[in-house]
Every structure is written in C-alpha cells, then in structure tokens.
Amino acid sequence: MPIHHCLIVLLLSASSLTVSAEPDVSAPPDLLSLPTEAAKAPAPDVEALKRSLAAIKELHLAEYATPKARAALIPTLIDQALQNQEDPGARYALLHEARELAIAAKEVDTVVALCEQLAQAYQGPDVTSHLRTCLGRITGVAVVPALLKLLDVPSDPAANAVVGRWYANEVQDWQRALPLLAQGNDAATAKVAANELLAPAKASERMALADQWYDLGKRTTTMRESFWRHALGLYDGAKAELTGLNLALAEKRMAEIEATLPLGADLDYSHLSAGQWERLKGRIVSVDAERGINPTAITLSEGQRVRVVPHPTETWKVSDSRGINQQTTWKGGMAGRRAAGSLQCVVGKGLEQSPGIVSGSGQLMLFPLVPGKRFSVTGTIRVKIIPISD
C-alpha cells in the first residue's frame, strides 16, 4: 500500500472511524464512502483557512518551487495532520492542502482517501459531494469517469470492474479492490473475489483461493502481475500449514511467480528466490572456496558503493577435522554473521563486511569464512555485484 494510504489509515484510526472488514457482497455497497462519525469538528471559516494555508506555504516554501517537489510534500502534510489531533483547524488545513496538491499531481487514490477523511471528520459537505467536486477537477486519468459513475450508481458492473482493477493493479489496495471486483462485470474475477470475501480459514481453502488467482493471472496480461502478487501472498500465508503434495505445489507456484514478477524497489535481497537472483542485472563473480580470498575486477573509490548479492540456493561444503561435512549456502553452517562458510567481503585494506551494500576504497575481495585450521570449505558460489547510484 502506498505511503499516503498508510498515513491516511492512521488518520482514520485516530478519528475513531469504523470501517467494515467484511463487506456484504449480497447488496452493492457505496464503496467510496465510510460510515459517518457521530460528532464532527467544525471546518474552519474561510479567513481562518486562508491563514493556516499561508502558514503551511511559508513553512514549506522551498517545497513549492516545482511540481515534483509539491507532489513529494503530500505525505509530509498528511503526517503533520496526524500530529495535529488537538488542533482540528490546523489539521483541516493540512488535509485540505494535501488534497489540493494531490489533485494537481493527479494522485487519484490519495484524493479519494482525503475526501473521505475530510467528510467524515468535519461538518459540511458529505463524501459524495467532496468526491464529485475534486474528481471533477482531474482530467486525463482513465479511472476517474468510473469513480464518478459509482457516485451515482454504486452497483454499476462496468464501473466496479474498472475501479476494482485500478485498486488492485495501480494502488495495490486489495481491501478496496475485492468488493469492487466482486460486483464487476467479469464473471470469473467476480466469483474469485467473492470467494475471498468469505474469508476462508483453512489453509487448504486459502491455497485453493490462491490457485484461483494464479489461474486468472495465466489468462490475462494486463492484470497478471497484480493477480499473481496477490496469489503469492495467499500461498505464503497458507504455506506454514500445508504438507505433502499441497506444500510442494504451493512452493512450485511461488517460485514460478517470483521468477516472473518485476524486481521492485522493495525487493528483499536477503530472501531472494533463485529465479529472482537470475534476473538481477550485475557482474557475476564465481567465488571458489578453495582459493580462499577471491580478488574481483572491481575497485571502489572513496564513497562508491556496490551491492553484493550471493546466489540464494547454491552451496559449498564445510568440513571439519572430525569428518563432519555440511552443505551450506552463503549464510554458512551456523547461525550468525560469523558462521563457518559464510561469505565475507573486504574492500582494500578495510574490515570484513557481510554481503549487502558494501563500501570502501580499494579492490573488492570475496571469501568464505574459515574460522580455524580444523575447518575447510570447498565448492563455488556465484555472486552478483550490482552498482548503486545515488
């Protein structure tokens, strides 16, 4: 979920608003509205709002210099609103200005969420009026006409499908996407979404649900990534309770999905699949354990950084003088950074560093940790070296 939504969720919680966790798909809900709060704060009058907005712009003068900087200011204003629970006037102004910036930046999901927040927390126009006015000012964004259509006809199947796919694909907010997709005009997708809204408890049922999203993803190109990411989360959530054939099939499909999904900015490099590693772009270095220290052809200058990413499943053999042998990955044969056989990095004459972001001045060298004469390590593990540009 985008950071703007995370902050707005906190705002909604702080205002004691309630959101239904399990929408009733038997009757089409107004999916752009939230339940009404019993007591709302009065919105500031025009002059008070002008003074607050002037103070905000004075405080953030530099950030108003360019459209890009103004867009980057949106989460800051939302966060400041979160910190102003005791000053409803200032809080209103911060949310109002964040919404104005979001309209200018055409960040439709943020506009919708802020309209809901202002309507639920303050006296004045209802959420439909807020949305109709603000969305009407946004042009050139394909989902806006469907959002406006839902204000008039919440049950419209075509509009529900468009907005549901948008929440799933672009916003990555499946809590909002599911009830919309369940009301959409794509029968196959609507059926799977409705099944998930029933919140199956058994691991086998959650796996079956993941299989359904997986199958839908195979039938589409535009929604494949979204459907498969969602399926991946369901497989992962059920995996701990699966056994035998179900576990093997879930792991196979998880590996297939991971190998095809884009490598995003939130990639967890310490828990890569082999398929993800293969798709990383970087220089490959084969670290031969028997050589000890393996010099690379990479020399770093002061302040330069690279990311060292060992292959996640390749192994080498750690042996000791007592005849005990163990196949280990780059993480080594025992827990902890100093595990026997763990991959280590050195730059020039610097100290050992674990794989990850490595810096220093000099030649980059890689080697397996051999903690004493009684240990030996044999085998080869490939490593990718990825430049980091600030």
Side-chain angles (χ1 to χ4, degrees), residues 4-5 8 32 74 99 101-115 131 134-148 163 166-167 170-171 176:
H4 301 182
H5 275 287
I8 293 168
L32 301 181
I74 295 169
R99 188 177 64 179
L101 297 180
I103 291 170
K106 300 187 178 184
E107 294 189 7
V108 178
D109 56 321
T110 303
V111 172
V112 170
L114 287 169
C115 283
L131 287 166
C134 294
L135 292 175
R137 295 168 55 194
I138 300 175
T139 59
V141 180
V143 75
V144 168
L147 284 163
L148 289 169
V163 179
W166 173 71
Y167 269 117
E170 296 185 40
V171 185
R176 285 182 180 261

Side-chain angles (χ1 to χ4, degrees), residues 173-183 193-194 196-197 213 230:
D173 184 344
W174 277 85
Q175 184 176 348
R176 285 182 180 261
L178 284 171
L180 290 155
L181 292 172
Q183 295 294 324
E196 184 164 349
L197 288 169
W213 287 115
H230 191 55

Side-chain angles (χ1 to χ4, degrees), residues 371-389:
K373 291 184 178 180
R374 56 178 272 218
F375 289 95
S376 63
V377 185
T378 57
T380 301
I381 291 179
R382 292 177 297 158
V383 175
K384 284 191 178 179
I385 314 297
I386 304 171
I388 294 177
S389 56

Side-chain angles (χ1 to χ4, degrees), residues 54-121:
I56 292 169
K57 292 177 180 178
E58 180 181 355
L59 181 63
H60 297 286
L61 186 61
E63 288 93 332
Y64 278 85
T66 65
K68 183 177 180 180
R70 290 194 291 275
L73 182 59
I74 295 169
T76 300
L77 297 182
I78 296 172
D79 185 51
Q80 289 175 352
L82 181 63
Q83 307 306 319
N84 273 275
Q85 295 299 316
E86 304 304 318
D87 187 346
R91 184 166 168 265
Y92 183 98
L94 287 160
L95 294 174
H96 179 280
E97 184 61 10
R99 188 177 64 179
E100 288 298 302
L101 297 180
I103 291 170
K106 300 187 178 184
E107 294 189 7
V108 178
D109 56 321
T110 303
V111 172
V112 170
L114 287 169
C115 283
E116 292 172 343
Q117 169 61 19
L118 285 165
Q120 298 305 315

